[in-house]
Amino acid sequence: MQYALMFYAEPGMEAGLSEAEREAVQAEFLALADDPRRVGGARLQPVETATCVRVTGGRTLVTDGPFADTKEVLGGFAVVEAADLDEALEMAARIPAARFGGVVEVRPVVRR
Amino acid sequence: MLEEVFRNEWGRVLASLVGFLGDFDRAEEAAQEAFTIAAQQWPESGLPDNPGAWLVRTARNRAIDRIRRERTLAQKIRLLPVPEAATMDEFDDIELDETVIKDERLELIFTCCHPALPLEGQVALTLRALGGLATAEIARAFLVSEETMKRRLSRAKAKIKATGIPFAVPDAHRLPDRLDAVLAVVYLIYNEGYAGRGDLGAEAIRLGRVLSGLMPDEPETHGLLALMMIHDARRRARFAGEDLVLLEDQDRSLWDAPQLAAGQAVLERAVALGGRGPYVVQAAIASLQTRERVDWARVAGLYRRLVELTGSPVVRLNHAAAMAQAGDPAAALRTVDALDPELDGYLYLHSTRGELLHRLGRDDDARTAYRRALELATSTPERRFLTRRLEEI
């Protein structure tokens, strides 16, 4: 099965980390990127770069900022191939955001 | 008698079918069918030699028939093939060895108590799948409508299917956490029963027995079973009419002596396995408290250990109460006062405080504390107990 691992964290989370912690985070992201079970995904630029688009009544409305006004914002996602939910959860637990006060949401991907 | 057989076989039959079919709904449907057929045939034909194997075989055959029919129908109306169709050829070759039906109840328990499911769903599913309780029975026990319970169950089953929650005993490195979740569900069911719904208490003990039979090397499974059995043995003595009876005032002749002895034997087994976890410690406390003369210093020592294990403020409060019983109400009061902000909304903080103040001769303060407890009381027995206590001081 394929799962999306979406990680959320408070903006600026990395600023509070020590040099060594930052390096560890970097290494963990690289490890995830190299994991053969990862089939896709991306880390996202900071939330200040977000732009929202809505179309109502044929008009396109563009606004600044993220969709929801929550403390934690989507930092990126990975799509992985895993045998079952437990395997996906284990991969999710290795995403640094899970450890530094953020959260990783795991959802199965719709099969085509 | 038939009902008893059904009760005992349901979990094992369902587990085997979930393992075979990989689908909760299909498994339940097939099991239901097999039990219905058994209810018609067995009174005339007599029990088969191995009722469990008979039920599994019958249910499997029914399920296979049903899948075949669906496949044929799908082909006839030219729909996409049903997903199971691909595996149909495997079904033809299956020969069921009737003497050994693998017991897959443990896999089933870990699926039902998966932390990805909401807790109320875990509880309901465990009672349905392993306990064999009907949806209506579970609904009654939790004071919700049957419709609500049906939705709760089907949401849980749908999530298992959609998210790929495995039907498996977790690997060794995941096992401790996952076992904790299973034990928590069983204990929650037990506590629902302790709060007055007796059937659930008995059901939790049944589940505890199954679990300790399936995981005989895990001390905490025995610890939980012992804890439930020892508490349960005192069930009839806890109330006199509407009134709560404190442990020291309970009529011991109302205790279930064989149940108590059996519970203590289970505890010994857990301790012999090296068990020092929270359930073993709680069972040891419950066991010590059933002695003619309670060794409160030992009880206090065990509570201290439990505080270390759990960090729970409620356990700290119990520790304080045990210290007072062991002869140090002043130290106990200091502990209780330190807990005040954290547990301010907790009735037993204030009733314990009242009791300690009373013992230290500060009756005015004691009455204030009991009044605060009374404000927080929600049940009639609690209110009556606290009112009586206030009058006595």
Side-chain angles (χ1 to χ4, degrees), chain B residues 214-227:
Chain B
L214 292 170
M215 305 188 84
D217 300 328
E218 287 288 342
E220 282 287 89
T221 64
H222 301 298
L224 173 61
L225 178 60
L227 174 63

Side-chain angles (χ1 to χ4, degrees), chain B residues 40-171:
Chain B
Q40 289 160 358
Q41 292 186 0
W42 291 0
E44 285 191 20
S45 65
L47 278 189
D49 289 340
N50 186 341
W54 190 99
L55 287 161
V56 170
R57 191 185 60 230
T58 307
R60 280 187 180 192
N61 289 339
R62 291 285 153 155
I64 293 168
D65 283 349
R66 188 183 290 265
I67 291 168
R68 283 210 180 104
R69 276 200 306 277
E70 283 170 17
R71 184 181 56 169
T72 317
L73 187 68
Q75 282 169 344
K76 271 190 190 145
I77 55 179
R78 296 183 186 214
L79 285 174
L80 292 168
V82 292
E84 282 81 358
T87 58
M88 281 309 297
D89 294 338
E90 298 165 29
F91 285 169
D92 293 333
D93 302 328
I94 282 166
E95 274 198 28
L96 191 57
D97 182 349
E98 306 214 350
T99 51
V100 251
I101 289 195
K102 215 174 102 208
D103 191 345
E104 290 173 291
R105 281 178 298 177
L106 205 50
E107 284 84 345
L108 187 60
I109 290 177
F110 279 105
T111 305
C112 292
C113 299
H114 198 285
L117 299 171
L119 187 59
E120 57 180 24
Q122 296 178 35
V123 167
L125 205 55
T126 302
L127 286 169
R128 174 76 197 108
L130 283 134
L133 269 64
T135 308
E137 279 178 273
I138 307 170
R140 267 200 303 283
F142 287 90
L143 309 173
V144 299
S145 72
E146 192 175 340
E147 212 36 57
T148 302
M149 189 50 75
K150 206 182 272 174
R151 267 201 307 276
R152 199 177 285 181
L153 282 164
S154 53
R155 262 202 301 266
K157 283 184 281 192
K159 186 163 187 191
I160 289 174
K161 198 172 176 174
T163 63
I165 289 177
F167 180 75
V169 178
D171 299 343

Side-chain angles (χ1 to χ4, degrees), chain A residues 13-14 17-34 43 94-97 99-100:
Chain A
M13 173 206 90
E14 283 192 30
L17 302 180
S18 70
E19 192 56 38
E21 281 173 324
R22 220 167 306 176
E23 270 169 31
V25 165
Q26 201 55 39
E28 280 163 316
F29 273 118
L30 287 176
L32 179 65
D34 286 344
R43 284 174 83 183
R94 283 205 294 270
I95 294 179
R99 205 170 69 237
F100 292 110

Side-chain angles (χ1 to χ4, degrees), chain B residues 6 9-10 13-14 17 21 24-40 54-56 58-60 62-63 66 128-129 132-135 137 153 157:
Chain B
F6 284 3
E9 297 295 342
W10 173 268
V13 170
L14 186 72
L17 292 166
L21 296 163
F24 248 91
D25 282 323
R26 275 190 194 285
E28 218 177 310
E29 208 170 56
Q32 205 84 61
E33 246 180 297
F35 278 82
T36 307
I37 296 167
Q40 289 160 358
W54 190 99
L55 287 161
V56 170
T58 307
R60 280 187 180 192
R62 291 285 153 155
R66 188 183 290 265
R128 174 76 197 108
L133 269 64
T135 308
E137 279 178 273
L153 282 164
K157 283 184 281 192

Side-chain angles (χ1 to χ4, degrees), chain A residues 1 3 84-86 89-90 108, chain B residues 114 162-164 166 173-174 178:
Chain A
M1 268 178 91
Y3 297 86
D84 55 34
L85 182 64
D86 281 348
L89 294 177
E90 213 153 89
Chain B
H114 198 285
T163 63
H173 70 284
R174 294 183 200 141
R178 296 287 308 280

Side-chain angles (χ1 to χ4, degrees), chain B residues 1 59 63 108 119 139 159 205 222 230 232 234 267 309 329:
Chain B
M1 203 230 10
L108 187 60
L119 187 59
K159 186 163 187 191
I205 290 175
H222 301 298
I230 293 168
D232 193 64
R234 305 198 322 246
L267 172 61
L309 287 170

